[in-house]
Amino acid sequence: MNLVLFGPPGAGKGTQSKILTEKRGLPQLSTGDMLRAAIEAGTPLGLACKALMAKGELVPDETVIRIIAERYDQPDCKNGAVFDGFPRTIAQAEALDAMLAERRRKIDLVLELKVDDAVLLSRVEARIKAGGVLRSDDTPETLAHRLGVYYRNTAPLIDFYRKQGKLKSVDGMADIQVVTRQIDDILDGVPA
Ligand code: AMP
């Protein structure tokens, strides 16, 4: 099964992807994690993306499409994957459909985590207050910018996937376990 977890920055896509990986054995393919690893490793890819990511801008479509295709061809994706933070533009979604079609696969379901902007902001503020490990783009100012980018470039995918009949929405403002249960209920209703 190939799933897309979709939603604004801070909606809980990473958290729910990790739970799906544990429960269903589908690897989490997070372009954000892959890019951060590239920055950490100091690769040319990381260097090229660092400034854009710090500002909350999208990195170029070709870059993420390439790293996703390379990752998807690893053996652990033979039964599918959870795409987390990808696709983020219509061009990426079209490239993903084409990439999967070449491999005789498809996206089965897109799970949209719906969270109000005010809740996203209060989550960032809570993380700062708690003083945990913070990402350089995890500040109220950068969140505001990332939300603008999300509404402009990424939110149009809601219609793209709705037209394909693949979109299911869940209330991402509920407690983590409640969101997980909503996702489980949807997935349990999908024919294997
Ligand atoms: P994330 O961890 O998914 O919030 O991603 C962190 C940052 O990585 C984003 O703000 C973008 O700068 C970059 N990024 C991650 N995934 C993508 C993508 N699919 N397309 C473009 N940029 C991305």
Side-chain angles (χ1 to χ4, degrees):
M1 181 183 283
N2 291 291
L3 299 174
V4 173
L5 271 196
F6 183 86
K13 301 186 291 291
T15 302
Q16 295 299 330
S17 297
K18 287 190 176 67
I19 295 172
L20 280 168
T21 298
E22 268 173 37
K23 282 195 172 172
R24 303 194 184 238
L26 296 171
Q28 173 194 12
L29 269 50
S30 156
T31 39
D33 284 353
M34 293 176 208
L35 293 167
R36 278 185 290 276
I39 291 176
E40 193 71 20
T43 64
L45 169 74
L47 286 175
C49 297
K50 191 172 177 176
L52 285 171
M53 288 177 69
K55 278 191 285 187
E57 296 287 343
L58 295 183
V59 309
D61 287 337
E62 311 78 68
T63 304
V64 281
I65 291 165
R66 180 166 44 80
I67 61 174
I68 274 286
E70 279 171 18
R71 178 66 187 86
Y72 191 77
D73 285 333
Q74 300 297 310
D76 62 334
C77 298
K78 64 179 188 309
N79 295 323
V82 182
F83 294 91
D84 163 14
F86 178 92
R88 263 176 155 100
T89 63
I90 296 278
Q92 291 178 23
E94 288 173 346
L96 178 60
D97 280 350
M99 189 270 282
L100 291 172
E102 273 173 26
R103 291 156 178 78
R104 301 196 191 293
R105 306 273 189 90
K106 62 177 172 52
I107 291 298
D108 296 285
L109 209 60
V110 177
L111 295 164
E112 179 199 11
L113 300 179
K114 285 174 97 94
V115 182
D116 292 347
D117 292 1
V119 173
L120 297 171
L121 184 62
S122 60
R123 286 181 182 178
V124 174
E125 286 168 348
R127 283 195 291 274
I128 290 172
K129 233 183 184 162
V133 182
L134 287 183
R135 285 166 34 174
S136 61
D137 60 356
D138 201 21
T139 65
E141 297 73 29
T142 316
L143 175 72
H145 188 75
R146 293 168 77 208
L147 275 174
V149 170
Y150 170 79
Y151 287 115
R152 221 172 17 257
N153 300 289
T154 309
L157 290 176
I158 295 175
D159 249 11
F160 178 91
Y161 284 120
R162 189 178 285 132
K163 282 187 188 133
Q164 291 191 0
K166 293 180 178 169
L167 188 79
K168 298 272 182 202
S169 300
V170 304
D171 172 13
M173 289 178 284
D175 288 345
I176 291 176
Q177 307 88 293
V178 177
V179 177
T180 303
R181 201 173 322 126
Q182 293 177 71
I183 293 176
D184 278 340
D185 287 348
I186 292 171
L187 294 183
D188 290 343
V190 174

